[in-house]
Amino acid sequence: TMNPGYAGRSELPDNLKALFRPCAMMVPDYALIGEISLMSFGFKRGRPLARKMVATFKLCSEQLSAQDHYDYGMRAVKSVITASGNLKRDFPDDDEEVLLLRGLMDVNTPKFLAHDLPLFEGIISDLFPGVKKPDADYDDLIGALNNACVELKVQPVKQFIDKVIQLYEMTVVRHGLMLVGPAGGGKTMCYRSLRIAQTSLAKKGSTHYKKTKCVVLNPKSITMGQLYGDFDDATHEWTDGVLACYMRDLSEEQNLDKKWMMFDGPVDAIWIENMNTVLDD
């Protein structure tokens, strides 16, 4: 895909552009895609639920503030369907509206800013009148997080614990995600405390949580060649980058532990662009 005017992408030369004819693209029917996907997860009332989901995203795009990281496209729809499908698998006899509501809340709440949350909750209560989201049971995780906070010497305040649980819920439905916030906002402590908590629960014999290993690198501190790998023109040798070496080491480990690769640094199109295929759903 060529996105003109976007860093890391190139423009088509005009003499080449003249040889192609333009074609129109239309927005896909999210309701139909959602309906089929929900049905494939075992939902019996796929059509009305898919319509509600699409209506939720439409109202969000109209009423909430415009932020760079807000996304109401196909990816967001797919994440909600995946989350709801996982819940359907775990609770096959529960009310389907409640499952979709939980999917919508779990996927969207983490990314909305504080002033948009009341508006989002208003939209949800309008579309799902009388349906209340049941509280998920995270007592064991919260207990482990309190211990992790003591170990990391941070305060286990409610907002912080909520954010860590949202991060956990996100890791369940997505394999790639981003922690965004100002300096000193608690991003690093958020993932560190979750890693310590999950590992301690796994050591105590929990089947639900896995031991977690985390490797951290700063993508801006090295060149692109050192990050991904480089081809030497003089000797025609390929040298693996830091990321390639980490990836090989982690994938060769013969266990079911969780392995996180943390790129700790500012995001720009130059290095993140090469991750497109890895991070895409």
Side-chain angles (χ1 to χ4, degrees), residues 174-196:
R174 289 201 166 178
H175 61 265
L177 51 93
M178 206 184 281
L179 288 166
V180 188
K187 303 184 290 295
T188 306
M189 286 301 162
C190 186
Y191 81 79
R192 280 184 188 167
S193 50
L194 180 59
R195 181 181 64 80
I196 292 170

Side-chain angles (χ1 to χ4, degrees), residues 3 5 9 11 20 30 42 57-58 66 69 81 134 146-147 180 190 198 207 213-214 216 227 240 245 261 271:
N3 292 6
R9 301 276 174 91
E11 279 272 8
F20 295 102
Y30 291 150
F57 283 127
K58 184 171 179 290
H69 67 279
I81 291 167
N146 286 326
N147 296 337
V180 188
C190 186
Q198 288 194 145
T207 53
K213 181 180 181 179
C214 185
V216 187
L227 181 63
D240 274 335
C245 296
M261 292 206 65
W271 70 266

